[in-house]
Amino acid sequence: MQGFAGKAAVAGVGMTTLTRASGRTELQLAAEAARAALLDAGLERPDAILSYHLNDSAPVLYLARELGLKEIGWHNEIYGGGTQSASILADAAMLIDAGLAANVLVYRALNGRSGTRMNALGLKLGEGTEEQFTHPYGMAGPVHQFALAAQRYLHDAGLGEEHLYAVVAQSRLHAGSNPRAVRREPLDLGQYLADRLVASPLRRTDCCQESDGACALVVTRAQDAPGAPRIHAVVRGGGPGASTMDKAPDITALFSRYLAPKLYDAAGMKPGDIDVALLYDAYSWLVPRQLEDFGLVAREDLPAILSTLSGREIAWNGLHPVNPHGGLLSEGYVHGLNNVAEAVRQLRGDGTNQVRDAEVALCTGFGGSYGSAAILTRG
Amino acid sequence: MDIGVLRRDGRTDPFFDGTARDELMIKRCEPCDRWFGPDATGCPGCGADELGWARACGDASLVTWTITHGRDPDDEPAFLALVELAEGPWLHARLDGVTGLREGLPLVARFVHPAEGEAYLLFSGTRRSPQ
């Protein structure tokens, strides 16, 4: 067990409305989400503040001023995107376990649709590499990188477009009862197949909903919030794979191949203990890939689990509930932190499409072959 | 989709001198007998941080691919790929006129000399692969 296991709890969550054009600054978004999370936690002001960003957010000190903090305690900004959404829970829990703060406000705020979009994010392949060896040829961003890996993954796993459809269709069904979701309409197979291919095998519909908005969490000492979900285990790291594919033995490998065993080991748990999975679904194919890596569904069972006739297995009331709020594919994309917020709601019993008796939630976040994962437990 | 203008940056002169004479130059560690992509900066085998350049034969096989489509439906799709060179390294690449895409498809490097910028590399099918 990790030193902070069970000692920190998520006592509050807050989110702004998610839109395609907020018309507001990142600071305004951050402040609204932060105030909502503090209210939810019954806390006036935080001891410490942490955020993650890609030079596209509101600085921590600006938010502290906005919240009227007379003094600033421990505060930090972590440069990073989706890889941070689970591990920032550990960054907060470590501050609490070390006695540096009694509570920590965590936020991610971005105008991810109307401002800086992720689709042109650099691939960080190496100094000068993109300019001379990839970009001029048309390989411009994450969608191309993930499409190359997806093509090979579908081939290796015996999956096809109908299985990707099942993932997106289930996400939309979930989002249908989530007022926060930006896409709530059901999706039929004909509509899916008619959608424009961005980079085969990925259609527009296979990509998450880039959004403007903010999400905030309040992490506190567990004893101060008896009923709040506990941060039980968190891991971060990775190895060669989808984001370093020219150097990887298997280009379809994601963070989850490396981290799943470490997470279960740190948690003292096994795959069967997970009641609900909040998977980072930036692209549809990442759902079967993670289901497999986290031991929730064996590769040979994926085609049946994701068949259009029985795609209900990943529904909130199915065998392996995934993203009962609609996830990044339908609710919106606050760089994964909105999936963590839903994990908290599910463990409190006030989730969207509440999974019955949810006691253990898996949260993931990544940018390719490296990332992070966390297990939260009911308070 | 058009190919962008390529510029050398001082560390890649042998690569672009190679494309200018229709040769594929990549990195190589002689003591370890290992080949690397043109952007490699060191040998993970012996730790050497200086790698030499050596000519690759230009034969490759297809590892995976994606066909990208622009917003404008009149745009020609681009065929992007990851290829494995005969010497071992994998390269991000653009395919040209390749049909019957499948894992392992044999490919061969060819070179294009645009009016502006450095000569660049494309991979095409070989006589062994169906066109």
Side-chain angles (χ1 to χ4, degrees):
Chain A
M1 298 280 264
Q2 293 164 322
F4 56 73
K7 293 183 183 163
V10 187
V13 297
M15 256 173 79
T16 64
T17 303
L18 305 182
T19 65
R20 291 165 66 88
S22 70
R24 303 167 71 196
T25 65
E26 290 86 5
L27 179 58
Q28 288 174 305
L29 296 170
E32 181 187 329
R35 288 194 180 100
L38 290 165
L39 184 69
D40 193 33
L43 205 66
E44 205 161 322
R45 292 194 174 83
D47 266 9
I49 309 182
L50 295 176
S51 80
Y52 61 99
H53 67 92
L54 294 170
N55 290 334
D56 56 0
S57 186
V60 162
L61 288 176
Y62 289 15
L63 179 64
R65 198 179 303 151
E66 188 74 14
L67 294 176
L69 267 63
K70 291 190 179 62
E71 292 177 23
I72 183 82
W74 191 281
H75 60 286
N76 244 324
E77 295 172 15
I78 300 170
Y79 185 85
T83 73
Q84 299 293 341
S85 63
S87 55
I88 201 160
L89 293 170
D91 293 303
M94 285 188 273
L95 290 178
I96 287 169
D97 182 44
L100 296 175
N103 56 70
V104 185
L105 173 69
V106 171
Y107 71 93
R108 174 74 176 112
L110 72 170
N111 281 315
R113 169 73 200 188
S114 69
T116 308
R117 294 181 66 178
M118 301 301 155
N119 61 2
L121 195 68
L123 297 173
K124 290 181 279 193
L125 298 177
E127 198 176 5
T129 295
E130 285 160 63
E131 294 82 351
Q132 297 174 85
F133 299 109
T134 59
H135 206 275
Y137 295 96
M139 183 153 156
V143 69
H144 299 141
Q145 185 180 42
F146 278 91
L148 285 170
Q151 179 79 35
R152 185 60 186 250
Y153 178 68
L154 296 183
H155 170 80
D156 289 354
L159 297 172
E161 54 193 4
E162 68 275 24
H163 305 107
L164 296 186
Y165 162 72
V167 171
V168 186
Q170 185 55 53
S171 161
R172 292 284 197 276
L173 276 179
H174 281 150
S177 39
N178 177 1
R180 296 181 306 272
V182 298
R183 297 296 296 272
R184 279 173 246 169
E185 69 290 350
L187 179 72
D188 70 37
L189 183 60
Q191 288 169 315
Y192 174 79
L193 293 175
D195 187 41
R196 184 168 73 81
L197 280 159
V198 178
S200 64
L202 303 179
R203 296 176 157 80
R204 246 180 347 175
T205 321
D206 291 299
C207 304
C208 64
Q209 301 298 323
E210 290 176 287
S211 323
D212 289 5
C215 181
L217 313 172
V218 173
V219 179
T220 68
R221 291 188 299 210
Q223 68 263 33
D224 296 340
R230 302 288 192 263
I231 299 170
H232 181 71
V234 189
V235 291
R236 176 172 178 84
S243 51
T244 48
M245 48 173 73
D246 55 338
K247 295 166 186 70
D250 178 358
I251 60 163
T252 73
L254 297 180
F255 77 113
S256 38
R257 167 164 313 173
Y258 305 100
L259 290 187
K262 291 181 183 172
L263 181 67
Y264 289 125
D265 190 42
M269 289 184 176
K270 54 189 190 309
D273 295 323
I274 305 294
D275 296 317
V276 56
L278 281 302
L279 302 180
Y280 194 89
D281 52 343
Y283 302 104
S284 57
W285 74 275
L286 303 173
V287 169
R289 168 87 272 186
Q290 292 178 77
L291 283 171
E292 186 185 331
D293 286 346
F294 283 103
L296 301 172
V297 180
R299 172 170 286 196
E300 57 271 25
D301 297 331
L302 284 170
I305 293 279
L306 298 176
S307 81
T308 46
L309 295 176
S310 59
R312 303 286 298 163
E313 302 291 17
I314 57 168
W316 65 279
N317 56 357
L319 274 177
H320 306 286
V322 173
N323 298 348
H325 61 317
L328 312 179
L329 284 170
S330 299
E331 183 181 77
Y333 186 65
V334 194
H335 243 151
L337 204 60
N338 53 318
N339 279 6
V340 178
E342 181 62 23
V344 172
R345 294 186 202 101
Q346 289 287 331
L347 296 173
R348 300 198 303 207
D350 62 352
T352 306
N353 300 308
Q354 177 64 45
V355 173
R356 199 151 63 99
D357 298 329
E359 292 189 8
V360 179
L362 167 68
C363 298
T364 69
F366 66 100
S369 59
Y370 61 102
S372 63
I375 286 178
L376 303 182
T377 56
R378 191 152 76 183
Chain B
M1 198 210 275
D2 292 339
I3 307 266
V5 176
L6 282 129
R7 307 277 183 205
R8 63 178 72 197
D9 72 355
R11 291 170 300 184
T12 50
D13 290 354
F15 179 80
F16 289 112
D17 290 344
T19 59
R21 50 175 201 269
D22 290 359
E23 291 179 1
L24 175 56
M25 302 296 291
I26 60 174
K27 293 275 181 71
R28 178 168 163 76
C29 181
E30 286 293 342
C32 298
D33 187 24
R34 286 175 70 171
W35 298 78
F36 301 95
D39 59 324
T41 52
C43 176
C46 63
D49 50 13
E50 288 286 331
L51 293 173
W53 290 88
R55 184 180 176 182
C57 71
D59 291 340
S61 66
L62 185 59
V63 177
T64 188
W65 67 92
T66 179
I67 306 166
T68 74
H69 302 260
R71 280 180 195 286
D72 183 346
D74 293 335
D75 278 356
E76 286 284 313
F79 288 66
L80 307 182
L82 201 61
V83 304
E84 181 173 313
L85 300 179
E87 292 79 9
W90 291 17
L91 286 187
H92 287 289
R94 177 90 166 238
L95 305 181
D96 182 49
V98 179
T99 55
L101 293 168
R102 61 172 172 80
E103 186 229 330
L105 185 76
L107 300 166
V108 64
R110 69 178 189 83
F111 300 87
V112 180
H113 303 269
E116 192 188 357
E118 302 293 346
Y120 58 81
L121 178 68
L122 296 175
F123 282 86
S124 303
T126 69
R127 272 174 299 176
R128 286 174 293 148
S129 57
Q131 290 295 298

